[in-house]
Amino acid sequence: MFKVIIISLIGHTQQMVLLLRIGQSAMKLPLIGRFLRFFFEYIIRILFSSDISLAAKIGPGLVFTHGHDIVIGADVQIGENVRIFNGVTLGNKDLFAPSTGNQPKVGNDVIICTGAKVLGPVKVGNGVIIGANSVLFRDCPDNSIAVGIPAKVKQKDVI
């Protein structure tokens, strides 16, 4: 137990998840919630060079690996037990479209590798792996792998 507490206090990726969760809870407070949201988003931006909206719906078990340079938009939905590597962007495909309805929905047990971009109203199924530096513009069914620019989607059992 003590080792888990020490790792949580020392590891920067755990600190980022902790700040994210505290910020998401604090933004629900009446009157000061909106201020606290911007405060925590700013702290994450400064300390971790990441732009993560606290309005995003993120399930339990989120893990950032090398947690820096990550962008998560306000309307993104992320399931349980998702691992996100550095340099990942989850957001709009169209810069001029509003966030609502134009950002990805990521399932459970997904791995998004270094530098991957998931853009637009994309649905990423459960158990998907998105390869390093891939750019995903289309839906991925459960248990598939998406790689390339633009990403090609293959079933895991085919590879």
Side-chain angles (χ1 to χ4, degrees), residues 45-117:
R45 198 171 294 126
I46 296 301
L47 293 179
F48 303 103
S49 299
S50 294
D51 190 3
I52 301 174
S53 174
L54 297 180
K57 293 173 181 64
I58 302 173
L62 174 69
V63 174
F64 292 119
T65 303
H66 306 296
H68 56 85
D69 199 28
I70 296 169
V71 178
I72 299 176
D75 200 43
V76 171
Q77 296 176 23
I78 299 175
E80 298 177 4
N81 304 316
V82 172
R83 178 177 293 266
I84 298 175
F85 285 78
N86 58 303
V88 168
T89 298
L90 304 172
N92 280 23
K93 181 168 110 174
D94 181 354
L95 293 174
F96 302 106
S99 295
T100 306
N102 289 309
Q103 296 190 345
K105 292 175 178 41
V106 178
N108 300 326
D109 304 307
V110 172
I111 299 172
I112 307 174
C113 296
T114 301
K117 312 301 179 212

Side-chain angles (χ1 to χ4, degrees), residues 5-39:
I5 293 171
I6 294 298
I7 290 171
S8 295
L9 295 175
I10 294 174
H12 74 283
T13 56
Q14 291 86 0
Q15 292 170 356
M16 190 157 93
V17 172
L18 184 64
L19 279 172
L20 174 71
R21 298 301 187 194
I22 292 170
Q24 286 178 321
S25 296
M27 69 183 246
K28 296 174 187 172
L29 295 171
L31 301 176
I32 62 168
R34 177 173 245 161
F35 168 76
L36 290 174
R37 172 186 170 185
F38 292 116
F39 173 76

Side-chain angles (χ1 to χ4, degrees), residues 113-118 129-138 145-154:
C113 296
T114 301
K117 312 301 179 212
V118 183
I129 298 172
I130 301 171
N133 295 314
S134 297
V135 180
L136 183 64
F137 295 118
R138 52 186 246 193
I145 297 176
V147 293
I149 303 172
K152 291 184 173 75
V153 178
K154 306 269 188 202

